[in-house]
Amino acid sequence: MNELCGTTLIHAYSRADRIHDGGLIDVSEPARQLGIIYPVAITSAVWIGAIQEIDGDKLFDIRTRGALSRCLSMLASVARNSTTNDHKLLFTVPLADKHGNIENVQLKAIIGPGDNLEAVITIMEPEED
């Protein structure tokens, strides 16, 4: 077992593990297309609740691309216009439900260290940690 600060590390659950297990959905490639240079992942709660209707195995179904693009565009805009060095950004995304009604969804992005201490962004619901 590894030694960490004088204690024995019993178990580690990495960001890569969480992506592999489906707790996080890696959206780094669509984010890069919008100018976000850091790896980006969205929690499964946000993905299911705000980005995608449950639609089988089609993670990037054509119907989800607009919502995902709006989410990432709003994040990029808020980050560009932020005047703080805070690692947490709150932002609102107008998304349509399956009936076409627009709902403003509040989200939170945390900029923090990834598995190798690189900068990564995680988008989540405001009450998630």
Side-chain angles (χ1 to χ4, degrees), residues 74-92:
M74 289 302 293
L75 170 62
S77 176
V78 167
R80 269 193 300 275
N81 295 316
S82 177
T83 58
T84 179
N85 288 330
D86 195 8
H87 73 284
K88 176 175 68 173
L89 294 171
L90 295 173
F91 61 105
T92 302

Side-chain angles (χ1 to χ4, degrees), residues 1-66:
M1 292 193 190
N2 297 330
E3 290 292 320
L4 179 67
C5 300
T7 63
T8 302
L9 180 63
I10 297 171
H11 179 72
Y13 190 61
S14 69
R15 181 179 177 90
D17 291 336
R18 196 155 177 222
I19 289 170
H20 181 264
D21 293 346
L24 288 175
I25 291 79
D26 185 357
V27 295
S28 298
E29 184 55 37
R32 261 191 293 284
Q33 293 173 8
L34 293 168
I36 300 172
I37 61 172
Y38 300 113
V40 180
I42 294 179
T43 65
S44 60
V46 170
W47 184 265
I48 292 167
I51 302 298
Q52 177 190 41
E53 294 177 18
I54 299 172
D55 189 36
D57 295 326
K58 298 178 183 178
L59 277 184
F60 292 96
D61 185 87
I62 189 69
R63 291 175 298 154
T64 66
R65 290 186 188 140

Side-chain angles (χ1 to χ4, degrees), residues 48-53 63 67 70 93-105:
I48 292 167
I51 302 298
Q52 177 190 41
E53 294 177 18
R63 291 175 298 154
R70 280 191 297 283
V93 182
L95 297 174
D97 65 17
K98 57 185 164 186
H99 304 292
N101 301 315
I102 301 296
E103 178 183 347
N104 287 320
V105 177

